[in-house]
Amino acid sequence: MSPPVLEKTFQASDPVLQDTETFEVNLGPQHPSTHGVFRMNVKLEGETIVSLKPVMGYLHRNHEQIAENMSYLGSMPYTDRLDYFNSMSNNFGYALAVERLAKIDVPERAQYVRVIMAELTRLVNHVSVIGFLLNDLGAFFTPVLYAFREREKILDVFEEVAGSRMMCNYLRFGGVKRDLTPAVTERIKKIVRGFPKFLDEFEGLLTRNEILCIRCQKVGVLPYDLAVNAGITGPMARASGVNYDLRKVDRYSIYDRFKFKIPLGKIGDVYDRYLVRILEMRESLKILEQALKEIPAGPVMNPKFAALAKAPRNFKPPKGEAYGRVEAPKGELGFYLVSDGTAQPWRYHVRAPSLINLTVLEDLCLGHKVADAVIILGSIDIVLGELDH
């Protein structure tokens, strides 16, 4: 039976469709098991977004003021709670800031251990956010479960070296809390050897998937100029063609010793942000292979500061200021410290990439549909612990 022929097909120019009223709707606040307690105030004409205002602050925890009333070392476990997916990177940025403030040297082996933990953290973050993005697209939980299967292997390593899977509290000023045992080192090598096969399978399911391409390509485009002017960093900026990665720009720690590329996108849409994260994981694996091959023997803690953990109140950096930053999985994570010579920082400020990157959410969503706003938010990759610090 042939389909019925419609007598009238409505066009966008029809007066009946032009006479619609603007409709305001709140998306959220959401449950913490999604992106966190976050709300989008959206104004619609039909289903088209004409205004979008992010509403945050539901989880504000006074992070900076707490740190200004604690010892320097006492704030280390609090940094775990910023981007709670990436506590090792949070520890790294804070440790760099304090070490620059107090001019603390870090042993060679500890530098390699830090890089290994930071790149494993990048794998954890990127594989998770891709799984979440597919969930936002309506692909149920299958991609998330595949992603979490690989994530679990890395979290087991974190648990063995730090004593915790997520809130690691692993780095110390002048080194790391505990050395890698031969068994842990071998486990990391096994993960690194097996991860490319997983990425190949993941990409085989996703990268050329027709539905993913239709939903993500040319959606939520972030132009190059806007990315630069808004201070966007991390995979989100690089997906728009911004060649900026602190591992290359600052060459902090020992990143200048490793050969790796900075993947860049061309369009800056949701699809490019997905693909850049896939490519960054492959580059992280290259760094891990080199670090595991070249890691030297030796101490993992500066002996002058080994006793600091037992007497943190005795640590009083000289008066001055310092800014330590790392290429965290979500972008530039920075810690600004001002010391007045006491055991507590006079000023402690966090440059959180989730907060900065979210500022362009409305620009990315204008003209799109409500369903597109959900995946655009997912492609930005925010964590409310960092957003509402």
Side-chain angles (χ1 to χ4, degrees), residues 251-264:
R251 297 174 178 267
Y252 62 91
S253 187
I254 54 170
Y255 274 106
D256 58 332
R257 304 181 188 181
F258 305 118
K259 295 180 180 179
F260 62 100
K261 299 177 181 178
I262 306 300
L264 300 176

Side-chain angles (χ1 to χ4, degrees), residues 136-322:
D136 293 337
L137 277 166
F140 300 101
F141 282 96
T142 303
V144 176
L145 294 176
Y146 284 167
F148 271 42
R149 179 190 65 190
E150 302 306 311
R151 173 176 177 262
E152 286 297 307
K153 299 173 185 177
I154 298 175
L155 294 189
D156 287 343
V157 170
F158 290 170
E159 184 176 21
E160 188 157 348
V161 299
S164 177
R165 290 158 49 83
M166 293 182 67
M167 308 301 150
C168 298
N169 186 24
Y170 180 59
L171 269 68
R172 293 291 181 268
F173 311 141
V176 296
K177 181 168 67 175
R178 189 178 294 113
D179 197 0
L180 302 181
T181 65
V184 170
T185 304
E186 187 55 41
R187 183 183 296 184
I188 297 172
K189 290 179 179 178
K190 185 178 179 180
I191 292 171
V192 172
R193 288 194 298 266
F195 216 89
K197 182 181 178 182
F198 160 72
L199 286 179
D200 292 341
E201 294 174 349
F202 215 40
E203 277 209 83
L205 292 171
L206 303 177
T207 300
R208 291 179 176 82
N209 182 284
E210 185 177 355
I211 297 174
L212 185 143
C213 291
I214 292 172
R215 289 293 311 278
C216 296
Q217 290 178 346
K218 298 183 180 178
V219 173
V221 175
L222 175 63
Y224 179 98
D225 291 343
L226 178 58
V228 173
N229 293 333
I232 307 302
T233 56
M236 192 174 171
R238 292 189 285 274
S240 298
V242 181
N243 190 1
Y244 184 81
D245 187 311
L246 291 177
R247 295 172 295 176
K248 292 285 191 181
V249 174
D250 275 9
R251 297 174 178 267
Y252 62 91
S253 187
I254 54 170
Y255 274 106
D256 58 332
R257 304 181 188 181
F258 305 118
K259 295 180 180 179
F260 62 100
K261 299 177 181 178
I262 306 300
L264 300 176
K266 295 181 179 179
I267 300 174
D269 54 10
V270 172
Y271 186 81
D272 273 0
R273 292 194 278 276
Y274 151 76
L275 197 57
V276 161
R277 289 184 174 100
I278 289 284
L279 297 174
E280 284 194 4
M281 284 192 281
R282 296 191 184 276
E283 296 304 313
S284 289
L285 291 170
K286 293 179 183 178
I287 295 173
L288 284 165
E289 289 174 355
Q290 296 171 70
L292 289 166
K293 182 180 180 180
E294 299 169 8
I295 185 170
V300 293
M301 190 68 195
N302 187 320
K304 294 181 180 180
F305 295 89
L308 179 61
K310 298 180 181 179
R313 291 283 174 182
N314 293 338
F315 176 62
K316 299 177 181 179
K319 292 183 179 181
E321 61 181 354

